């Protein structure tokens, strides 16, 4: 099957091809000209005037979330991707995402909360200082990276929507634009891609909404202009190009779980002791390294997040 093959075909070589500097800069200049902060969307503002602050990439505050591990090369982070909306080969997202227009962008907020509505990206993030966070990133396919994200913690953003006591889970949905996303023209997954977290997971200080990497706006292939980053979970939980956030009472459906429930659970915490039905999760290949390394429980974040799962059987709730 297509999906299963592609999940296997992941190992091996990091493509040496990189985004040419000129292409990268011309895109950034286009974004600057388009006015990252001037998206003229008629959407309600959560914030008091002057609300629609531009996202300020020139003033990124450095966070305490750092690692004593070298960053993965930017070329690898931006050319070795999983983003099936643009194809299933690792190089496809960088190659096929040139027609995707990440701006203007708005996010539909719905469900069990006091302030549902459509919010421009700048309204969601603009009142926070962007910060950078270096996290380990571990794909279920047993490769990993160390990525410097730029964005804001998820919890405070969610709190401003006033989740009700019925909000037990948070759902996320990726944009559906088959014209700009050629992979969506094929039945690779049940589009649009959806993900979810339990509300306490979403509120955890490690959960992050990224709008950039390496100090710059997210390239399309990495989930522009807004993606989730949940560093203690397998990479597929970190849903890209998010256009919808919902508060739900029941556990929301998630794409890989729908596609293959035996292989991909709702929680999908990185766990070296719980094998994937078709391969071991004990080790991983850090992109750029030759030798494999041991995978850490919850990707090395067990001290921070372990208590979220106290009393749960992690073999059963995978
Ligand atoms: N919408 C969407 N989000 C997605 C995916 C995808 O195919 N579609 N792939 C996931 C998987 S499997 C991984 S490992 C990460 C990859 O993120 P990266 O390409 O920025 O490293 O994105 C996740 N988010
Ligand atoms: Mo992944």
């Amino acid at each position: 099957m297509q999906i299963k093959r592609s999940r296997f075909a992941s190992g091996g070589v990091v493509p040496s091809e990189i985004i040419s500097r000129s292409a990268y800069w011309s895109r950034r200049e286009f974004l600057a000209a388009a006015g990252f902060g001037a998206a003229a969307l008629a959407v309600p503002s959560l914030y008091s005037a002057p609300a629609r602050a531009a996202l300020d990439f020139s003033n990124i505050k450095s966070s305490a979330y750092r690692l004593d591990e070298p960053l993965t090369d930017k070329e690898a982070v931006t050319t070795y991707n999983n983003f099936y909306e643009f194809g299933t080969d690792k190089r496809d997202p960088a190659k096929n995402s040139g027609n995707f227009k990440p701006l203007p962008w708005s996010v539909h907020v719905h469900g069990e909360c006091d302030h549902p509505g459509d919010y421009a990206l700048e309204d969601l993030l603009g009142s926070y200082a962007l910060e950078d966070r270096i996290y380990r990133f571990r794909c279920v396919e047993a490769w990993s990276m160390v990525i410097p994200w730029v964005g804001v913690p998820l919890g405070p953003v969610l709190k401003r929507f006033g989740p009700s006591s019925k909000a037990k889970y948070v759902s996320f949905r990726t944009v559906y634009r088959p014209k700009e996303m050629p992979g969506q023209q094929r039945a690779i997954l049940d589009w649009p891609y959806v993900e979810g977290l339990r509300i306490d997971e979403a509120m955890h200080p490690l959960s992050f909404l990224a709008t950039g990497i390496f100090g710059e706006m997210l390239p399309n292939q990495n989930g522009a202009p807004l993606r989730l980053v949940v560093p203690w979970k397998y990479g597929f939980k970190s849903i890209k190009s998010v256009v919808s956030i919902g508060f739900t009472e029941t556990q929301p459906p998630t794409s890989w779980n729908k596609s293959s429930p035996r292989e991909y659970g709702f929680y999908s915490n990185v766990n070296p002791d719980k094998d994937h039905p078709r391969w071991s999760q004990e080790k991983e290949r850090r992109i750029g390294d030759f030798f494999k390394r041991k995978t850490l429980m919850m990707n090395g974040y067990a001290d921070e997040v372990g208590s979220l799962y106290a009393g749960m059987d992690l073999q059963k709730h995978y």
Side-chain angles (χ1 to χ4, degrees):
M1 267 176 71
Q2 175 77 45
I3 297 160
K4 302 196 168 166
R5 269 232 304 287
S6 59
R7 275 270 184 240
F8 266 131
S10 63
V13 191
V14 180
S16 57
E17 89 190 36
I18 63 166
I19 294 178
S20 79
R21 188 161 296 252
S22 62
Y24 194 72
W25 280 101
S26 61
R27 181 168 173 278
R28 291 189 70 231
E29 276 151 22
F30 163 74
L31 293 175
F36 195 72
L41 282 172
V43 293
S45 173
L46 265 186
Y47 313 113
S48 52
R52 194 149 303 169
L55 302 188
D56 188 0
F57 279 83
S58 70
N59 191 18
I60 297 164
K61 86 176 174 205
S62 136
S63 80
Y65 297 88
R66 320 208 74 80
L67 298 171
D68 277 332
E69 297 170 52
L71 299 181
T72 301
D73 282 351
K74 184 171 162 186
E75 300 91 271
V77 176
T78 55
T79 60
Y80 186 89
N81 300 101
N82 274 333
F83 199 170
Y84 279 14
E85 283 84 342
F86 295 109
T88 55
D89 189 272
K90 291 287 177 286
R91 286 157 298 205
D92 282 345
K95 248 179 5 201
N96 300 336
S97 62
N99 290 331
F100 181 73
K101 282 164 207 69
L103 299 175
W105 195 260
S106 71
V107 176
H108 181 63
V109 176
H110 59 99
E112 300 291 346
C113 66
D114 298 334
H115 308 291
D118 294 288
Y119 297 97
L121 178 68
E122 296 75 9
D123 285 338
L124 280 181
L125 304 186
S127 69
Y128 304 93
L130 295 179
E131 61 179 82
D132 66 359
R133 291 194 178 191
I134 298 171
Y135 281 160
R136 287 178 216 96
F137 188 85
R138 202 317 190 152
C139 176
V140 75
E141 297 160 336
W143 54 264
S144 66
M145 298 186 178
V146 175
I147 302 179
W149 303 101
V150 180
V152 304
L154 175 64
V157 174
L158 295 182
K159 274 193 195 125
R160 298 187 88 150
F161 300 126
S164 80
S165 58
K166 284 186 177 170
K168 300 287 197 307
Y169 295 87
V170 186
S171 68
F172 301 87
R173 173 162 49 83
T174 293
V175 71
Y176 181 67
R177 290 190 197 163
K179 283 191 184 135
E180 295 175 31
M181 300 176 129
Q184 287 181 336
Q185 295 163 22
R186 300 187 288 137
I188 303 164
L189 286 168
D190 181 15
W191 310 116
Y193 196 102
V194 288
E195 257 304 337
L197 296 171
R198 222 169 52 192
I199 189 110
D200 57 338
E201 298 179 314
M203 293 296 179
H204 191 279
L206 283 172
S207 293
F208 200 62
L209 271 179
T211 190
I213 47 170
F214 291 95
E216 291 165 338
M217 198 191 154
L218 278 173
N220 288 344
Q221 60 268 35
N222 293 90
L226 186 71
R227 72 172 296 172
L228 187 63
V229 182
V230 195
W232 72 94
K233 293 178 178 284
Y234 290 121
F236 65 84
K237 298 293 291 182
S238 292
I239 181 175
K240 294 175 168 180
S241 304
V242 170
V243 286
S244 171
I245 297 177
F247 296 93
T248 63
E249 200 168 4
T250 55
Q251 186 178 298
T254 59
S255 281
W256 280 101
N257 178 251
K258 282 194 290 178
S259 167
S260 189
R262 212 171 57 87
E263 296 179 309
Y264 309 106
F266 176 80
Y267 286 96
S268 293
N269 295 320
V270 174
N271 184 351
D273 303 329
K274 169 75 180 166
D275 288 344
H276 186 282
R278 289 180 284 129
W279 59 84
S280 165
Q281 295 291 22
E282 207 188 325
K283 289 183 177 169
E284 67 199 48
R285 195 169 60 85
R286 179 67 52 82
I287 298 299
D289 285 2
F290 184 75
F291 291 106
K292 288 191 173 172
R293 65 175 64 208
K294 283 201 158 150
T295 288
L296 303 173
M297 181 55 95
M298 303 198 183
N299 207 20
Y301 300 99
D303 285 351
E304 284 103 313
V305 297
S307 62
L308 293 174
Y309 311 102
M312 274 175 64
D313 178 351
L314 297 180
Q315 295 291 322
K316 199 169 130 212
H317 298 277
Y318 57 88

